[in-house]
Amino acid sequence: MITKTIELGKISEIDLKYVVICVRSKGKWIFSRHKKRNTWDIPGGHIVPGESALKAAKRELFEETGLRSKKLIPVCDYYAEQSPFDYAYGRLFYYTTDEFSIPPKEFEMAETRLFSNIPLNLTHKEIHNLLYLKTLEYISGT
């Protein structure tokens, strides 16, 4: 898989398919586990047609963590390619809070958990590692 980050503003919002939200709470990172998997994910998901990346990020944040945010910070866009015919663009957001919640039961997440560092057992290891490191870089520059 080929993955890379892209500076904000270089990709048209209409071309974005995914959002990912790195969430820091109480000095730790929030990761979610889907009901059908034993692996961990950074909260995020698909952008619904007609939805902005920011609106999608707020929706996915609530669906996967139970948190509601008024201030998500866009960090960068990213590109992920499985093959020349299977690729997508997404946007990475950052959110920090003192809250911790659980995902609503009607959505697809089984649980959320706080981690000191990125867990080893990730669903999308290459993309998640890249976006986690980009978030750390962003935090250290602010």
Side-chain angles (χ1 to χ4, degrees), residues 13 21 46 62 64-65 70 74 78 82 110 119 123:
E13 183 149 340
I21 311 98
H46 290 89
F62 175 70
E64 297 194 6
T65 69
K70 294 183 176 145
Y78 67 92
Q82 293 275 55
T123 305

Side-chain angles (χ1 to χ4, degrees), residues 73-98:
I73 301 166
V75 174
C76 69
D77 291 333
Y78 67 92
Y79 173 83
E81 177 184 303
Q82 293 275 55
S83 74
F85 302 105
D86 183 11
Y87 66 90
Y89 293 102
R91 179 158 295 159
L92 171 64
F93 290 86
Y94 172 65
Y95 177 55
T96 185
T97 182
D98 289 329

Side-chain angles (χ1 to χ4, degrees), residues 2-141:
I2 298 170
T3 58
K4 64 180 179 178
T5 59
I6 302 166
E7 183 182 335
L8 286 170
K10 300 287 184 187
I11 303 298
S12 167
E13 183 149 340
I14 200 161
D15 292 326
L16 298 173
K17 303 290 183 224
Y18 297 98
V19 292
V20 173
I21 311 98
C22 282
V23 184
R24 193 138 170 90
S25 176
K26 303 176 184 187
K28 297 188 177 192
W29 297 96
I30 294 179
F31 286 85
S32 300
R33 186 181 60 77
H34 193 282
K35 290 176 181 174
K36 295 181 180 178
R37 294 190 289 268
N38 293 323
T39 53
W40 294 97
D41 291 291
I42 297 173
H46 290 89
I47 298 172
V48 174
E51 190 176 46
S52 71
L54 180 59
K55 187 174 179 182
K58 287 180 178 184
R59 177 182 51 76
E60 289 289 349
L61 178 69
F62 175 70
E63 289 177 5
E64 297 194 6
T65 69
L67 295 170
R68 293 192 187 272
S69 167
K70 294 183 176 145
K71 189 170 182 187
L72 293 176
I73 301 166
V75 174
C76 69
D77 291 333
Y78 67 92
Y79 173 83
E81 177 184 303
Q82 293 275 55
S83 74
F85 302 105
D86 183 11
Y87 66 90
Y89 293 102
R91 179 158 295 159
L92 171 64
F93 290 86
Y94 172 65
Y95 177 55
T96 185
T97 182
D98 289 329
E99 298 177 43
F100 182 75
S101 187
I102 58 171
K105 294 197 181 304
E106 67 267 20
F107 296 112
E108 70 266 14
M109 292 299 142
E111 65 178 314
T112 56
R113 192 178 293 171
L114 292 169
F115 289 84
S116 296
N117 295 299
I118 192 167
L120 297 175
N121 189 18
L122 295 167
T123 305
H124 306 287
K125 193 169 282 214
E126 190 171 336
I127 295 170
H128 283 36
N129 279 318
L130 175 71
L131 298 180
Y132 174 75
L133 291 173
K134 187 66 177 180
T135 303
L136 290 177
E137 181 183 303
Y138 170 80
I139 293 168
S140 68

